[in-house]
Amino acid sequence: MTTDHLWLGIGLLGQALFSARFLVQWIASEREKRSVVPLHFWYFSVGGGLTLLAYFARESMRRALLMAAVGLLCGSVGQDTISGRFRFTFGIRTL
């Protein structure tokens, strides 16, 4: 096993963890019969995000941190899907 194979495994693990949060939320919401965001959703989000950040940082730390910052910025703008509140829209409802 080469170093490239190890990093590929880390990248795939990060993607799997980050993608699993969809299943966690879906199962929890089906059980509750309403849309919920369970605590484990956030564990998978943070774990997968940090694993992917480590995978991308092996090439360029600056690029990986910029990627994470842009992702956090884009994810924090708009309407919250659970509460319906608008976040960081500055009065522009279409954001």
Side-chain angles (χ1 to χ4, degrees), residues 25-95:
Q25 184 180 12
W26 181 29
I27 292 168
S29 294
E30 287 294 323
R31 285 184 181 159
E32 295 279 330
K33 304 287 188 220
R34 63 186 178 89
S35 185
V36 296
V37 181
L39 184 61
H40 286 87
F41 174 89
W42 299 111
Y43 291 152
F44 280 105
S45 295
V46 171
L50 290 176
T51 305
L52 285 171
L53 183 63
Y55 172 73
F56 289 117
R58 84 186 200 291
E59 295 286 330
S60 168
M61 180 62 81
R62 186 179 318 156
R63 188 178 301 156
L65 291 175
L66 181 64
M67 175 199 67
V70 169
L72 287 172
L73 178 67
C74 291
S76 62
V77 175
Q79 186 176 11
D80 185 88
T81 56
I82 303 299
S83 68
R85 291 186 308 219
F86 288 92
R87 305 174 300 202
F88 304 111
T89 58
F90 308 107
I92 304 169
R93 299 279 180 157
T94 57
L95 285 180

Side-chain angles (χ1 to χ4, degrees), residues 6-23:
L6 178 65
W7 278 111
L8 178 63
I10 290 171
L12 290 173
L13 174 66
Q15 186 62 44
L17 286 171
F18 198 75
S19 298
R21 66 195 193 123
F22 163 75
L23 293 174

